[in-house]
Amino acid sequence: MAEARPDPSALPEAEAAPRSRWRPQLVWLVPLVAALIGGWLAVKSILDRGPVIDIVFKSAEGLEAGKTKVKYKDVDIGLVTAVSLSRDLRQVLASAELVKDFQPHLVEDTRFWLVKPRISGGSVSGLGTVLSGAYIGVDVGKSSRAQKTFAALEVPPVIQLDTPGREFVLRSADLGSLAMGSPVFFRRLQVGQVVGYQLDGNGRGVSLRLFVNAPYDRFVTDNSRFWNASGIDVKLGAGGIEVDTQSLASLLLGGVAFETPEESVALPGAAPDTPFELFADRARAMRNPERDVLKMVLLFDESLRGLETGAPVDFRGIAIGEVTAIRVELEPDSRRIVMPVEISLYPERLRLRSRDKDLPRLSGEARRRFLEELVAKGLRAQLRSGNLLTGQLYVGLDFFPQATTARIDWDSEPPGLPTTGGSLGELQASLQRVAGRLEKLPLEQIGADLRQTLQTTSRLLHRLDTQVAPEVVATLGEARKAVDTAQNMMAADEPLQQDTREAIRELGRTARSLRALADYLERHPEALLWGKKKSEP
């Protein structure tokens, strides 16, 4: 039976209900929290990201993006993120991301270098990188100016910037055997190292920078002396052979030694970057310091062979200066070649004294007048021989009253001191005069006269041999006979000898009688008048 369908009209009429507000579901909280966390992590990643710098290298040897680390005192502070070439293809740019805390230390004088195995002089460094690989080393600077691009050092710095101590500058004519890392000695203790050197701008010398570690840097005063301690110093004296060297390292690597005179030890330490002169040896370094130096020039017309820079300037046995330069110049007006010799005079070595006290130091103008007075009295410079074996010369100052009138040339720079001919020149002139006189002698006539004299002498000798000699022999024979006759007459058994002995005996008896008579008359002078008294029975 079919089911009955309901009547649609009987159904209730639908009414529209009002729309309700949306209510969040808990399921939507999960993606919302995830988005917040992701954003926070992104922001934190950006905020925590360290600085990115560029380091310029000459080569990419040892550099690898994502592997080469940046270390400061063996602590990882960054990583190389990219390695690329510069636009001109001459350099390599290494981009490195560092830790955020290192941002304040990226200043102008911060230094970067590649650490790898190196052998420098007597030291070996970077052996740890053989297994771990090369890394970039850092030395924090002290500047206040920030910087993002740095030029890497070719070699690691010898001294870190935070090492206590002070740097000083040495002036030298050449580098010698010194190099980066050469030791610095004080009383044979290694107290520092040579940290750098460069050629002077004028090309006439070398400037070295050395670092003296604390606390030894306080022994470097303004009066300290530095000398090249490389090699061996051998001296031969009365006590034998003396050998002096600082250490075995100085023999191989070279070295610098310094010393402070006893009277200057109490002085305060020298300021950093104070310049000093580097002497060749200790003997020259420890000479008395010359604060008062008078530069002068001498013009010589004679040969300067044997005169060297550093030769002494002597005044009657006292060294009062030294030769500083020797040149050759052409005078354009007279077309004359002269030999200028520059000297340094040290007036303090020749202090003026009276019998009572030391005279005060002369001012510039007073010294000038005093020198003019000395030159007017005959003060001249002269080349003299210091050693006949080696031919070395020195400059001697002395008075020559017979010298021609001259004056100091104050217009030249430095002033010119008058000179006179050297002793060697005078000797050569004397020899030339003697040679000239010898040339004027009639040597041929003298030779002819000498030959004639020899011939005459030969004839005279022949005559003596043929004529005079036989007569002389006969005369000697007669003389020998006379001597023999005299000897025979003086023989003991000859009558003449016997008579002579008897006469001598009579003379003796006569002398005794006279002595007895004289004694009697001395006792009895009246016997001269009355005669000898008769003796009583």
Side-chain angles (χ1 to χ4, degrees):
M1 177 175 176
E3 180 179 1
R5 295 181 178 179
D7 185 6
S9 60
L11 294 175
E13 187 178 355
E15 294 181 1
R19 187 175 182 179
S20 63
R21 296 182 178 180
W22 178 84
R23 295 179 180 180
Q25 303 295 325
L26 294 176
V27 68
W28 293 105
L29 293 177
V30 175
L32 180 61
V33 172
L36 293 176
I37 293 175
W40 178 78
L41 291 176
V43 173
K44 186 176 185 301
S45 176
I46 295 174
L47 295 176
D48 291 343
R49 184 180 179 183
V52 177
I53 62 172
D54 291 330
I55 307 174
V56 181
F57 292 87
K58 289 188 175 181
S59 171
E61 179 185 2
L63 298 176
E64 189 173 355
K67 291 185 178 181
T68 304
K69 299 180 179 180
V70 181
K71 295 184 178 182
Y72 176 67
K73 294 186 177 181
D74 290 335
V75 176
D76 294 345
I77 61 171
L79 183 68
V80 174
T81 58
V83 178
S84 61
L85 290 172
S86 61
R87 292 184 178 180
D88 57 3
L89 304 181
R90 294 184 178 181
Q91 297 173 327
V92 174
L93 301 179
S95 297
E97 183 179 347
L98 307 181
V99 296
K100 182 179 179 181
D101 294 340
F102 205 77
Q103 175 71 49
H105 305 297
L106 296 175
V107 293
E108 193 175 36
D109 55 347
T110 296
R111 301 180 293 182
F112 295 84
W113 67 93
L114 186 65
V115 179
K116 59 183 181 179
R118 297 177 186 271
I119 300 177
S120 176
S123 61
V124 179
S125 61
L127 289 180
T129 60
V130 174
L131 300 177
S132 62
Y135 64 89
I136 298 176
V138 184
D139 186 19
V140 176
K142 300 179 180 179
S143 176
S144 59
R145 298 180 59 182
Q147 188 168 314
K148 290 292 184 178
T149 302
F150 302 87
L153 302 178
E154 296 184 15
V155 295
V158 179
I159 300 295
Q160 303 294 324
L161 294 177
D162 58 351
T163 303
R166 279 177 285 182
E167 283 192 12
F168 303 100
V169 180
L170 300 183
R171 309 287 188 186
S172 176
D174 53 57
L175 185 61
S177 59
L178 301 176
M180 292 279 292
S182 294
V184 177
F185 297 98
F186 177 68
R187 301 190 183 278
R188 300 187 186 277
L189 296 175
Q190 183 173 348
V191 298
Q193 291 176 305
V194 176
V195 296
Y197 56 85
Q198 65 179 2
L199 187 67
D200 293 342
N202 56 12
R204 295 185 178 181
V206 177
S207 297
L208 297 93
R209 300 190 68 86
L210 55 86
F211 185 86
V212 180
N213 299 316
Y216 306 105
D217 57 340
R218 62 188 177 91
F219 298 113
V220 181
T221 68
D222 291 336
N223 201 24
S224 295
R225 323 292 171 78
F226 292 79
W227 68 89
N228 195 326
S230 306
I232 301 176
D233 186 10
V234 181
K235 297 180 181 179
L236 178 61
I241 299 177
E242 299 180 2
V243 180
D244 184 19
T245 182
Q246 292 294 324
S247 68
L248 181 60
S250 65
L251 294 179
L252 302 177
L253 309 177
V256 176
F258 74 92
E259 185 175 340
T260 303
E262 295 297 333
E263 63 273 12
S264 304
V265 172
L267 295 177
D273 298 329
T274 300
F276 295 91
E277 181 179 358
L278 180 63
F279 294 91
D281 51 48
R282 183 181 183 277
R284 298 182 183 181
M286 296 308 294
R287 290 177 182 172
N288 292 331
E290 307 300 342
R291 305 294 182 184
D292 188 9
V293 180
L294 177 61
K295 297 283 188 179
M296 304 200 79
V297 65
L298 312 174
L299 298 180
F300 291 102
D301 294 331
E302 54 193 300
S303 173
L304 301 182
R305 183 179 181 86
L307 184 66
E308 299 179 353
T309 302
V313 178
D314 181 282
F315 178 74
R316 295 184 177 180
I318 300 177
I320 61 172
E322 62 181 346
V323 177
T324 57
I326 302 174
R327 301 192 306 272
V328 179
E329 293 181 356
L330 175 65
E331 292 184 348
D333 297 335
S334 62
R335 311 296 295 177
R336 185 170 63 102
I337 297 177
V338 295
M339 316 291 285
V341 177
E342 293 186 8
I343 62 174
S344 293
L345 298 179
Y346 309 131
E348 286 296 323
R349 295 189 181 183
L350 193 64
R351 298 191 63 181
L352 301 177
R353 297 180 178 179
S354 65
R355 293 186 178 181
D356 299 331
K357 60 180 179 179
D358 294 346
L359 297 178
R361 179 182 297 180
L362 298 178
S363 62
E365 185 63 28
R367 177 183 294 174
R368 181 170 176 171
R369 292 195 301 268
F370 180 70
L371 287 176
E372 291 177 348
E373 293 177 1
L374 295 180
V375 170
K377 294 179 181 180
L379 181 67
R380 300 290 186 273
Q382 183 185 54
L383 289 179
R384 295 178 179 177
S385 175
N387 192 315
L388 295 177
L389 296 178
T390 61
Q392 293 180 343
L393 301 179
Y394 70 95
V395 177
L397 297 180
D398 209 336
F399 290 94
F400 298 88
Q402 304 301 325
T404 57
T405 303
R407 57 181 295 274
I408 299 177
D409 185 9
W410 296 106
D411 297 332
S412 64
E413 181 61 35
L417 185 67
T419 62
T420 185
S423 56
L424 291 179
E426 295 178 356
L427 178 60
Q428 292 177 355
S430 300
L431 293 176
Q432 291 178 356
R433 289 194 296 269
V434 172
R437 293 178 181 177
L438 290 177
E439 290 179 355
K440 296 179 180 179
L441 292 177
L443 298 180
E444 295 182 358
Q445 182 66 30
I446 293 175
D449 295 343
L450 182 60
R451 284 194 298 270
Q452 184 177 358
T453 302
L454 292 176
Q455 292 175 359
T456 303
T457 304
S458 178
R459 290 193 297 269
L460 178 60
L461 292 176
H462 179 71
R463 182 177 179 184
L464 290 175
D465 188 29
T466 57
Q467 299 180 9
V468 178
E471 297 180 1
V472 172
V473 172
T475 302
L476 292 176
E478 294 295 333
R480 181 177 295 279
K481 291 179 181 180
V483 172
D484 293 341
T485 302
Q487 289 179 350
N488 294 331
M489 293 177 63
M490 297 298 294
D493 54 352
E494 291 295 327
L496 179 60
Q497 184 71 10
Q498 294 178 359
D499 295 342
T500 303
R501 290 195 189 98
E502 186 64 28
I504 291 174
R505 292 192 191 97
E506 290 296 333
L507 287 175
R509 288 192 291 269
T510 303
R512 285 194 294 273
S513 299
L514 290 175
R515 189 180 302 110
L517 177 60
D519 293 340
Y520 180 79
L521 290 177
E522 185 177 358
R523 293 192 303 271
H524 303 285
E526 68 278 5
L528 293 175
L529 299 176
W530 309 106
K532 184 178 182 181
K533 295 181 179 180
K534 295 181 180 181
S535 58
E536 297 180 359

